Amino acid sequence: MTGMREVYQEQLGDLAEELASMSTMVGTAMERATKALLEADLTLAEQVIEEDVHVDEARARAEEQAFGLLALQAPVAGDLRTVISTIHAAEDLERMGDLALHVAKAARRRHPQPVLPEPVQEYFAEMGRVAVDLCARAAAVIRSRDIDAARDLEAADDAVDDLHRHLFTVMMSSEWSHGVAAAVDVTLLGRFYERFADHAVAVGRRVVFTVTGSMPTS
Protein backbone atom coordinates (compact mmCIF):
# COMPACT_ATOMS: atom_id res chain seq x y z
CA MET A 1 0.00 0.00 0.00
CA THR A 2 2.87 2.34 0.85
CA GLY A 3 4.39 1.76 -2.57
CA MET A 4 1.09 2.57 -4.28
CA ARG A 5 0.83 5.75 -2.26
CA GLU A 6 4.33 6.78 -3.28
CA VAL A 7 3.49 6.20 -6.94
CA TYR A 8 0.31 8.24 -6.52
CA GLN A 9 2.19 11.15 -4.95
CA GLU A 10 4.70 10.97 -7.76
CA GLN A 11 1.84 11.23 -10.26
CA LEU A 12 0.50 14.29 -8.43
CA GLY A 13 3.99 15.78 -8.61
CA ASP A 14 4.13 15.13 -12.34
CA LEU A 15 0.80 16.88 -12.69
CA ALA A 16 2.08 19.95 -10.84
CA GLU A 17 5.20 19.99 -12.99
CA GLU A 18 3.08 19.93 -16.16
CA LEU A 19 1.21 23.00 -14.89
CA ALA A 20 4.40 24.79 -13.90
CA SER A 21 5.84 24.11 -17.36
CA MET A 22 2.67 25.51 -18.93
CA SER A 23 3.07 28.69 -16.88
CA THR A 24 6.64 29.09 -18.11
CA MET A 25 5.49 28.40 -21.67
CA VAL A 26 2.78 31.08 -21.68
CA GLY A 27 5.18 33.53 -20.01
CA THR A 28 7.63 33.01 -22.86
CA ALA A 29 4.81 33.45 -25.37
CA MET A 30 3.75 36.76 -23.85
CA GLU A 31 7.34 37.96 -23.64
CA ARG A 32 7.83 37.28 -27.35
CA ALA A 33 4.42 38.68 -28.28
CA THR A 34 5.17 41.90 -26.41
CA LYS A 35 8.51 42.26 -28.14
CA ALA A 36 6.80 41.63 -31.49
CA LEU A 37 4.23 44.28 -30.62
CA LEU A 38 6.75 46.92 -29.57
CA GLU A 39 9.27 46.28 -32.34
CA ALA A 40 6.95 45.23 -35.21
CA ASP A 41 8.87 41.94 -35.30
CA LEU A 42 7.00 39.64 -37.67
CA THR A 43 9.29 36.67 -37.06
CA LEU A 44 8.58 36.69 -33.33
CA ALA A 45 4.87 37.16 -33.91
CA GLU A 46 4.79 34.15 -36.23
CA GLN A 47 6.73 32.09 -33.69
CA VAL A 48 4.16 32.79 -30.97
CA ILE A 49 1.31 31.95 -33.34
CA GLU A 50 2.88 28.70 -34.50
CA GLU A 51 3.84 27.54 -31.00
CA ASP A 52 0.44 28.16 -29.42
CA VAL A 53 -0.46 24.57 -30.29
CA HIS A 54 2.09 23.42 -27.69
CA VAL A 55 0.10 25.16 -24.96
CA ASP A 56 -3.06 23.41 -26.14
CA GLU A 57 -1.24 20.09 -26.10
CA ALA A 58 0.06 20.71 -22.58
CA ARG A 59 -3.46 21.42 -21.35
CA ALA A 60 -4.67 18.20 -22.96
CA ARG A 61 -1.89 16.23 -21.23
CA ALA A 62 -2.65 17.80 -17.85
CA GLU A 63 -6.34 17.07 -18.17
CA GLU A 64 -5.70 13.50 -19.33
CA GLN A 65 -3.47 12.89 -16.31
CA ALA A 66 -5.98 14.50 -13.95
CA PHE A 67 -8.94 12.54 -15.25
CA GLY A 68 -6.85 9.39 -15.13
CA LEU A 69 -6.17 9.97 -11.44
CA LEU A 70 -9.86 10.59 -10.81
CA ALA A 71 -10.82 7.38 -12.56
CA LEU A 72 -8.11 5.07 -11.25
CA GLN A 73 -7.17 6.41 -7.82
CA ALA A 74 -10.44 7.85 -6.47
CA PRO A 75 -8.64 10.66 -4.58
CA VAL A 76 -10.22 12.17 -1.48
CA ALA A 77 -9.92 15.42 0.48
CA GLY A 78 -6.70 17.31 -0.30
CA ASP A 79 -5.69 15.06 -3.16
CA LEU A 80 -9.09 15.51 -4.79
CA ARG A 81 -8.75 19.29 -4.48
CA THR A 82 -5.34 19.06 -6.15
CA VAL A 83 -6.71 17.14 -9.13
CA ILE A 84 -9.78 19.33 -9.60
CA SER A 85 -7.73 22.53 -9.21
CA THR A 86 -5.28 21.25 -11.81
CA ILE A 87 -8.06 20.91 -14.36
CA HIS A 88 -9.21 24.49 -13.75
CA ALA A 89 -5.67 25.90 -13.62
CA ALA A 90 -4.81 24.23 -16.94
CA GLU A 91 -7.80 26.03 -18.46
CA ASP A 92 -6.60 29.37 -17.06
CA LEU A 93 -3.12 28.79 -18.45
CA GLU A 94 -4.43 27.85 -21.87
CA ARG A 95 -6.45 31.07 -21.94
CA MET A 96 -3.28 32.99 -21.06
CA GLY A 97 -1.65 31.36 -24.07
CA ASP A 98 -4.59 32.45 -26.21
CA LEU A 99 -4.21 36.04 -25.00
CA ALA A 100 -0.52 36.04 -25.92
CA LEU A 101 -1.62 34.66 -29.29
CA HIS A 102 -4.03 37.59 -29.74
CA VAL A 103 -1.21 40.06 -29.05
CA ALA A 104 1.02 38.33 -31.61
CA LYS A 105 -1.77 38.32 -34.20
CA ALA A 106 -2.24 42.06 -33.71
CA ALA A 107 1.46 42.59 -34.38
CA ARG A 108 1.24 40.46 -37.51
CA ARG A 109 -1.93 42.13 -38.75
CA ARG A 110 -0.41 45.62 -38.66
CA HIS A 111 3.04 44.65 -39.92
CA PRO A 112 5.15 46.38 -41.17
CA GLN A 113 3.48 49.29 -39.38
CA PRO A 114 3.78 49.43 -35.58
CA VAL A 115 0.56 48.74 -33.70
CA LEU A 116 1.21 51.06 -30.79
CA PRO A 117 1.60 54.84 -30.92
CA GLU A 118 4.65 56.10 -29.08
CA PRO A 119 2.75 57.58 -26.07
CA VAL A 120 1.49 54.14 -24.94
CA GLN A 121 4.50 51.98 -25.71
CA GLU A 122 6.03 52.34 -22.25
CA TYR A 123 2.80 51.12 -20.65
CA PHE A 124 2.73 47.98 -22.77
CA ALA A 125 6.40 47.33 -22.16
CA GLU A 126 5.73 47.42 -18.42
CA MET A 127 2.54 45.34 -18.66
CA GLY A 128 4.50 42.76 -20.63
CA ARG A 129 7.25 42.72 -18.03
CA VAL A 130 4.76 42.23 -15.19
CA ALA A 131 2.91 39.53 -17.14
CA VAL A 132 6.11 37.53 -17.64
CA ASP A 133 7.01 37.95 -13.97
CA LEU A 134 3.54 36.74 -12.97
CA CYS A 135 4.08 33.57 -14.97
CA ALA A 136 7.44 32.89 -13.32
CA ARG A 137 5.93 33.45 -9.90
CA ALA A 138 2.89 31.30 -10.70
CA ALA A 139 5.18 28.46 -11.79
CA ALA A 140 7.07 28.74 -8.49
CA VAL A 141 3.81 28.76 -6.53
CA ILE A 142 2.56 25.65 -8.32
CA ARG A 143 5.74 23.81 -7.38
CA SER A 144 6.04 25.09 -3.80
CA ARG A 145 2.34 25.36 -2.86
CA ASP A 146 3.32 28.49 -0.93
CA ILE A 147 0.00 30.17 -0.16
CA ASP A 148 1.60 33.49 0.86
CA ALA A 149 3.40 33.67 -2.49
CA ALA A 150 0.15 32.72 -4.20
CA ARG A 151 -1.68 35.59 -2.52
CA ASP A 152 1.14 37.98 -3.44
CA LEU A 153 0.19 37.54 -7.10
CA GLU A 154 -2.73 39.86 -6.42
CA ALA A 155 -0.38 42.84 -5.98
CA ALA A 156 1.19 42.31 -9.39
CA ASP A 157 -2.27 42.05 -10.90
CA ASP A 158 -3.15 45.40 -9.31
CA ALA A 159 -0.11 46.91 -11.05
CA VAL A 160 -1.40 45.72 -14.43
CA ASP A 161 -4.86 47.13 -13.62
CA ASP A 162 -3.28 50.51 -12.82
CA LEU A 163 -1.33 50.53 -16.08
CA HIS A 164 -4.48 49.57 -17.97
CA ARG A 165 -6.35 52.50 -16.46
CA HIS A 166 -3.52 54.88 -17.39
CA LEU A 167 -3.96 53.89 -21.04
CA PHE A 168 -7.42 55.45 -21.03
CA THR A 169 -6.02 58.62 -19.48
CA VAL A 170 -3.54 58.89 -22.34
CA MET A 171 -6.13 58.19 -25.04
CA MET A 172 -8.64 60.66 -23.62
CA SER A 173 -6.06 63.41 -23.38
CA SER A 174 -6.40 66.40 -25.70
CA GLU A 175 -2.88 65.53 -26.88
CA TRP A 176 -3.99 62.21 -28.39
CA SER A 177 -3.56 62.61 -32.13
CA HIS A 178 -3.46 59.00 -33.32
CA GLY A 179 -7.09 58.53 -34.30
CA VAL A 180 -9.85 56.06 -33.55
CA ALA A 181 -8.27 52.97 -35.13
CA ALA A 182 -5.19 53.24 -32.92
CA ALA A 183 -7.39 53.83 -29.88
CA VAL A 184 -9.35 50.66 -30.65
CA ASP A 185 -6.11 48.66 -30.97
CA VAL A 186 -4.79 50.03 -27.70
CA THR A 187 -8.07 49.31 -25.91
CA LEU A 188 -8.22 45.69 -27.09
CA LEU A 189 -4.56 45.01 -26.42
CA GLY A 190 -4.75 46.54 -22.95
CA ARG A 191 -7.65 44.23 -22.20
CA PHE A 192 -5.61 41.22 -23.31
CA TYR A 193 -2.88 42.04 -20.80
CA GLU A 194 -5.39 42.71 -18.04
CA ARG A 195 -7.09 39.35 -18.61
CA PHE A 196 -3.72 37.58 -18.81
CA ALA A 197 -2.85 38.87 -15.33
CA ASP A 198 -6.31 37.95 -14.01
CA HIS A 199 -5.84 34.34 -15.11
CA ALA A 200 -2.42 34.20 -13.45
CA VAL A 201 -4.05 35.30 -10.20
CA ALA A 202 -6.73 32.65 -10.71
CA VAL A 203 -3.98 30.02 -10.88
CA GLY A 204 -2.64 31.28 -7.56
CA ARG A 205 -6.10 31.06 -6.06
CA ARG A 206 -6.35 27.44 -7.19
CA VAL A 207 -3.19 26.73 -5.24
CA VAL A 208 -4.60 28.40 -2.13
CA PHE A 209 -7.74 26.30 -2.49
CA THR A 210 -5.70 23.14 -2.88
CA VAL A 211 -3.75 23.79 0.32
CA THR A 212 -6.45 25.31 2.54
CA GLY A 213 -9.73 24.01 1.15
CA SER A 214 -11.04 27.58 0.80
CA MET A 215 -11.06 29.67 -2.36
CA PRO A 216 -9.94 33.29 -1.76
CA THR A 217 -12.71 35.79 -2.38
CA SER A 218 -10.51 38.78 -3.23
Side-chain angles (χ1 to χ4, degrees):
M1 183 66 70
T2 301
M4 291 179 61
R5 181 66 182 171
E6 288 176 353
V7 170
Y8 180 50
Q9 290 301 314
E10 184 178 334
Q11 290 172 323
L12 288 176
D14 291 343
L15 200 52
E17 189 56 37
E18 187 74 68
L19 277 187
S21 295
M22 277 188 76
S23 188
T24 300
M25 195 182 304
V26 298
T28 298
M30 184 54 95
E31 183 176 30
R32 290 171 177 167
T34 301
K35 186 176 176 63
L37 189 68
L38 293 170
E39 300 180 9
D41 189 323
L42 182 60
T43 300
L44 269 182
E46 293 285 8
Q47 184 177 6
V48 174
I49 293 165
E50 291 172 5
E51 293 183 356
D52 179 63
V53 66
H54 299 317
V55 178
D56 299 338
E57 291 169 349
R59 177 189 176 178
R61 285 194 303 271
E63 289 187 341
E64 183 179 1
Q65 292 175 48
F67 285 124
L69 289 173
L70 286 175
L72 299 176
Q73 302 289 352
V76 295
D79 290 345
L80 179 59
R81 291 199 301 270
T82 298
V83 175
I84 296 299
S85 293
T86 293
I87 294 169
H88 289 297
E91 180 181 1
D92 283 309
L93 289 163
E94 184 190 26
R95 288 180 178 176
M96 291 165 73
D98 289 341
L99 290 161
L101 175 68
H102 294 334
V103 173
K105 284 184 174 179
R108 182 177 69 175
R109 184 172 62 252
R110 296 298 189 198
H111 189 269
Q113 300 302 316
V115 181
L116 301 174
E118 190 277 331
V120 298
Q121 288 181 8
E122 64 180 301
Y123 296 103
F124 281 92
E126 181 62 11
M127 284 193 292
R129 186 197 66 76
V130 175
V132 174
D133 180 62
L134 271 168
C135 288
R137 292 165 63 180
V141 163
I142 291 165
R143 292 186 174 107
S144 68
R145 293 162 59 101
D146 183 332
I147 60 174
D148 290 329
R151 289 170 173 147
D152 285 345
L153 295 176
E154 301 270 1
D157 179 48
D158 290 342
V160 174
D161 290 341
D162 288 342
L163 288 162
H164 186 236
R165 282 191 290 270
H166 280 304
L167 289 175
F168 290 97
T169 301
V170 174
M171 288 186 293
M172 295 181 69
S173 166
S174 60
E175 297 179 5
W176 181 261
S177 60
H178 304 281
V180 173
V184 170
D185 282 339
V186 169
T187 300
L188 288 174
L189 286 162
R191 180 62 173 161
F192 295 155
Y193 283 87
E194 182 190 38
R195 293 298 300 146
F196 188 96
D198 287 344
H199 283 295
V201 169
V203 171
R205 289 177 175 174
R206 308 287 182 200
V207 173
V208 174
F209 172 72
T210 296
V211 175
T212 68
S214 298
M215 181 68 81
T217 56
S218 61

